Amino acid sequence: MERTTTDHDTGGIGRRKLLSAVGGSAVAAALAGCSTLLSDGESAEQGGQSSGGISDEPIQAGLLTFTRGAPGVLGIQAQRGAELAVQRINEAGGIGGQREIELDVVNEGSNPLDSYNQFIEEGKEVTFGPISSGTHSQIAPEVEKNEVINVSTDGTVTTLYEETVPDPTYSFRFQNYDIMEVVTMAREAVERIGADNISTVAGVNPGYSFGEDEMRVFTQAIQKLTDAEIVYEGFPELGASDMSNHITSINNEEPDVTFSSLWGGDVTTFVRQANANNMFENTTVFGTTLYSAAGDVPGDALAGTDIYSGSRNYYWGKPALGNWQPGRELFDAATQQDGVTVPTAHYMSGYGAVTAWATAVEKAIDLLGTYPSQEQIAQMLEGHGFFTPAGYHNIAEDHQGASNSFAGKMVYDDDLGAARLEDVNTYAATETAPPPGVTGSDWLDSWSA
């Protein structure tokens, strides 16, 4: 079952607003193909509007991400996406046609705050990352104190801009955040099964704040949509080798829906053990980040399963790769990069974070005729609309990323050599996120039962 979508690829904006969103610079064209949208490519060939007030000094940038270990399943994807975006910017002549970017990548590791502060001591003009929500909660207050723009690749905890830094100036998030991906999967469960057919729900989620938060939000959303009863909640530790007790509990309860925010290697462990114990005969699994293991989960683990996964802001078939250049080119380039079997949503989180910042700076240069200050870039990022091959994105006035979400059946593709989604549905940000100024909990409470 595939939902009918009309304006999702463009966010429902018209051509005039679309041109305003993308700008006309060579950098915007390189990142999102606006030369195609402008039809004659004239603006793209002109590059930035002015080079008179812009130095030719390289821009020093830093990316905080996981480059190894289990979290590297997500972090390396984000790193490669950011690296490709920087490469395309530099090949287009740099920011404002003058300034290339030099990207320094540091492992998020066990002391991420020290690594972030090192970036500031080194004079980085912009930072990107992190992956972890815990890291994001640590560095966001420092970002505000240092007054240097940070655009996060992930770090999607719902409370970041509700409680940790409720009135941010320099901290922004490209990636859709937790409530958006959870609500997407609650809506997807209803779309696929039907509200009247969901009376019992179980959950198996990571045993720390991220997993607990996702289960809490899913419970709130699905009970508004279906009045379902929660019959089991399990929280295995990251990297757990044995999930049999959770699988046995689910088999005993036979819930209509099992919700999971497991990610990376934990997905492979869970799916393999669940399949071996016939769990998929007793329930349908809906997960927010199961697809993060697309390049790692083996085909035999997925055979005969009934799994629907979300993809936070990117799936290469939605929008079609030919819609926005360099769609096909980006996909092919990504698959040639070290550590990327197929690009996932986390690849786009790296590519998109760099693109958000770069296109905002380009628009500021168009307006000012000179290189903007940190405060001017921050003002430009609020409400900033831009394109990537994943479609239209917006940084809302509350600094949250607001992109389409995708969900589909997770299958193994022998030709691709990786998992993919089929029969994909698209959910607009307006369906999955509260309006600016409203907390996620209050927004869910406001839904009609």
Side-chain angles (χ1 to χ4, degrees):
M1 178 188 304
E2 187 168 352
R3 305 170 89 218
T4 299
T5 58
T6 53
D7 297 326
H8 283 158
D9 285 358
T10 64
I13 63 174
R15 185 175 184 278
R16 183 183 300 275
K17 187 175 180 181
L18 181 150
L19 295 178
S20 174
V22 299
S25 73
V27 163
L31 291 167
C34 74
S35 59
T36 300
L37 301 171
L38 291 169
S39 73
D40 59 7
E42 181 179 354
S43 295
E45 294 171 358
Q46 292 173 349
Q49 179 178 348
S50 171
S51 61
I54 304 173
S55 78
D56 58 2
E57 287 292 317
I59 295 170
Q60 301 299 318
L63 170 65
L64 193 61
T65 189
F66 289 112
T67 61
R68 54 182 176 269
V73 172
L74 310 185
I76 292 173
Q77 287 265 347
Q79 176 184 349
R80 299 299 181 230
E83 289 172 340
L84 187 59
V86 167
Q87 176 186 326
R88 297 189 69 85
I89 290 168
N90 291 343
E91 289 175 351
I95 299 296
Q98 294 282 107
R99 301 191 68 187
E100 293 192 353
I101 300 173
E102 295 180 353
L103 182 66
D104 186 10
V105 180
V106 172
N107 183 42
E108 200 167 324
S110 57
N111 297 301
L113 187 57
D114 291 344
S115 298
Y116 168 76
N117 284 328
Q118 184 65 35
F119 279 159
I120 299 304
E121 292 174 9
E122 293 169 352
K124 297 289 191 282
E125 295 181 51
V126 60
T127 60
F128 304 104
I131 295 294
S132 163
S133 290
T135 300
H136 207 181
S137 295
Q138 291 182 60
I139 73 168
E142 295 296 307
V143 169
E144 294 303 307
K145 184 175 71 177
N146 291 316
E147 300 182 350
V148 175
I149 299 289
N150 179 80
V151 183
S152 78
T153 54
D154 291 272
T156 53
V157 63
T158 300
T159 54
L160 185 79
Y161 295 136
E162 292 181 356
E163 299 174 9
T164 306
V165 281
D167 187 23
T169 299
Y170 300 96
S171 173
F172 294 86
R173 177 155 55 193
F174 166 77
Q175 181 71 277
N176 287 352
Y177 62 117
D178 289 356
I179 193 169
M180 298 177 72
E181 63 184 8
V182 174
V183 169
T184 293
M185 296 317 296
R187 293 195 184 282
E188 179 75 353
V190 172
E191 186 83 18
R192 299 285 179 179
I193 296 179
D196 293 341
N197 297 319
I198 301 175
S199 58
T200 54
V201 171
V204 179
N205 293 274
Y208 66 109
S209 57
F210 165 73
E212 294 163 0
D213 187 53
E214 293 241 332
M215 186 64 204
R216 177 186 59 78
V217 175
F218 187 82
T219 297
Q220 193 174 4
I222 200 70
Q223 289 186 328
K224 281 288 187 178
L225 294 170
T226 68
D227 288 329
E229 177 188 2
I230 308 302
V231 295
Y232 178 74
E233 295 183 49
F235 297 95
E237 294 182 356
L238 285 176
S241 60
D242 184 0
M243 299 192 188
S244 59
N245 59 324
H246 306 294
I247 293 164
T248 298
S249 297
I250 291 169
N251 279 338
N252 290 338
E253 296 290 347
E254 299 186 1
D256 300 313
V257 166
T258 295
F259 170 73
S260 179
S261 55
L262 294 174
W263 54 272
D266 287 345
V267 175
T268 299
T269 301
F270 178 65
V271 172
R272 185 183 289 282
Q273 295 180 5
N275 205 356
N277 288 280
N278 303 316
M279 193 192 82
F280 296 99
E281 296 178 3
N282 299 316
T283 190
T284 303
V285 174
F286 291 83
T288 53
T289 50
L290 302 175
Y291 180 69
S292 64
D296 298 278
V297 63
D300 61 344
L302 285 175
T305 62
D306 198 5
I307 300 174
Y308 294 90
S309 177
S311 188
R312 285 174 173 171
N313 58 29
Y314 180 56
Y315 187 70
W316 57 79
K318 296 279 186 176
L321 287 173
N323 278 20
W324 320 109
Q325 299 298 326
R328 180 82 247 177
E329 184 180 331
L330 180 143
F331 180 83
D332 291 341
T335 59
Q336 299 302 311
Q337 290 177 287
D338 185 30
V340 180
T341 305
V342 292
T344 68
H346 297 87
Y347 188 96
M348 187 53 63
S349 70
Y351 190 93
V354 173
T355 300
W357 171 83
T359 52
V361 174
E362 290 279 301
K363 286 204 293 189
I365 291 172
D366 283 345
L367 288 171
L368 301 170
T370 188
Y371 196 84
S373 67
Q374 293 286 339
E375 185 176 4
Q376 289 167 333
I377 298 170
Q379 291 174 339
M380 195 61 63
L381 274 165
E382 287 189 353
H384 176 49
F386 57 99
F387 281 85
T388 73
Y392 177 73
H393 310 272
N394 178 254
I395 302 290
E397 62 188 68
D398 60 358
H399 294 211
Q400 304 276 19
S403 304
N404 286 342
S405 302
F406 306 96
K409 185 174 175 59
M410 196 165 166
V411 298
Y412 194 83
D413 189 318
D414 290 326
D415 294 333
L416 195 63
R420 64 174 173 82
L421 302 181
E422 69 176 16
D423 191 15
V424 176
N425 285 325
T426 305
Y427 295 84
T430 51
E431 298 177 274
T432 61
V438 178
T439 68
S441 181
D442 287 347
W443 180 60
L444 291 173
D445 278 341
S446 73
W447 289 10
S448 298

